Amino acid sequence: MMTSELVAIDERRLLRRLDDLAQRGALPSGGLYRALYTPAHVAATELYADWCKEAGLLVRRDAVGNVWGRVEGSRGGRAIVTGSHIDTVRGGGALDGALGVVAGLEAVASLVAQFGRPTRILECVAICEEEGSRFSTNFWGARAIADRLEPDEAQRARDADGITLADAMRGVGLDPARASQAVRRDIDNFVELHIEQGPILDESNERLGVVRTIAGTAHLEVTVRGQADHAGAAAMERRRDALLGAAAMTLAIAKVATDMGPPAVATVGTIGVEPAQVNVVPGLARFTVDARHSSAALRLELIAEIAKACKVIGRERELAVDVRTLRDRPPVQLHERTTDALRRAARAAGVEPREMVSGAGHDSQILSAAAHAAMLFVPSIGGRSHRADEATAAEDVVLGTRVLATALRDLAYAA
Ligand code: GLV
Ligand code: MN
Ligand code: MN
């Protein structure tokens, strides 16, 4: 282990690059949207690749479009990696994912500039997709690295315009048949800096957190079938309105999570109806549920209670209800000894980091299947995230990046 002094970084370059990256995909209405394999996404990854080259790193785009910057270690072995995702939600802010991408590169570039070649292979990565915003994929980039892609996934997944993920890949010069070549089996540690996205650090006036557990997430699709009818001629008491059923289910789902208590959460984030006409009673409603809990057992209970609540309402209203699991990811414990490197680095800054549970999903939860993963959180002002006004104080961005760099020095420059 090297000295416990905090590593210096180029603070102005870090903050400027966060601003520059936020221009890629900026929306006229505010916020930004960098959806996988769109021009804004390509522009962001090219900018990142240029910055990696500027730092003298070996740059490579892998088979799904994750961009890696690498410096060889004098002793070789398994790699030390830092990074996060470069895609965003629709109307998202400038830091979710982007902070870990820009700060990871800043940390690696600063280390190489100050200490030269590490003993271990040191890499930074801009992961192509985590959010599931364009395709119903989420964690596409990290799953490709961790060998968790599903067979024919690229052929099956379609965006709202019907474009397959495979065609979107071809559009940016990637071959979907080669996606499995993105797998890495040589990563030792993955360390991710991320904004908290919740209010805990901000409200308790703490500046750093380390993540012990990432909550498990289930995504369900609920289809409610009633009877389409004439909006003028069908009397209210004769209707089997699928949307009214779905509305009652939405309220019941929120109540299930509220009654279970924190950290249970459940969100109906999308809903569609058919035939979707102003003068027709909806005959079908289809909505998604995102349900999360950090306890494996309580998460299963939450999912079961949600399904039960929907079925009960369906029976009451004479609606057919089908609940389908789109994906189901259990909670993940991050790696203790790698987290220790972050704790030591935080203490070098005079900060005792708070031990935290993340309700938000992160690339680290997937990469923990392929590497020893750890996460550092900096505060989100007002707990705001997945919205245009997501923000973190500049001094916390700088502190988090310096602590990240210090932990990476610990991991990658050990004698
Ligand atoms: C991603 O931000 C998620 O938690 O769904
Ligand atoms: Mn996000
Ligand atoms: Mn994120």
Side-chain angles (χ1 to χ4, degrees), residues 355-368:
E355 306 285 316
M356 305 191 73
V357 170
S358 177
H362 297 290
D363 294 306
S364 289
Q365 86 194 68
I366 303 298
L367 292 177
S368 66

Side-chain angles (χ1 to χ4, degrees), residues 134-178:
R134 178 175 176 192
F135 300 95
S136 172
T137 43
N138 87 341
F139 300 112
W140 172 249
R143 285 191 296 112
I145 297 167
D147 200 9
R148 292 287 191 279
L149 299 187
E150 288 156 26
D152 296 331
E153 195 174 344
Q155 279 71 38
R156 282 186 283 113
R158 285 178 191 275
D159 71 6
D161 298 322
I163 298 170
T164 64
L165 178 54
D167 278 340
M169 289 181 81
R170 288 186 200 99
V172 296
L174 295 166
D175 177 0
R178 292 182 61 246

Side-chain angles (χ1 to χ4, degrees), residues 84-85 87 95-98 130-131 192 194-195 197 360-363 375 385-386:
S84 193
H85 59 98
D87 70 318
L95 295 171
D96 178 4
E130 183 259 18
E131 301 283 10
E192 181 176 10
H194 206 284
I195 52 168
Q197 307 185 274
H362 297 290
D363 294 306
M375 287 195 80
S385 189
H386 279 190

Side-chain angles (χ1 to χ4, degrees), residues 46 79 84 89 98 149-151 158 178 221 243 251 258 291 303-304 309 341 360 372 400 406 413:
E46 286 176 351
S84 193
V89 291
L149 299 187
E150 288 156 26
R158 285 178 191 275
R178 292 182 61 246
E221 183 183 78
L243 180 58
L251 293 173
T258 307
I303 297 164
H372 297 134
T406 306
Y413 285 80

Side-chain angles (χ1 to χ4, degrees), residues 243-264:
L243 180 58
L244 283 184
M249 290 172 205
T250 302
L251 293 173
I253 289 165
K255 185 167 172 351
V256 167
T258 307
D259 289 351
M260 186 173 270

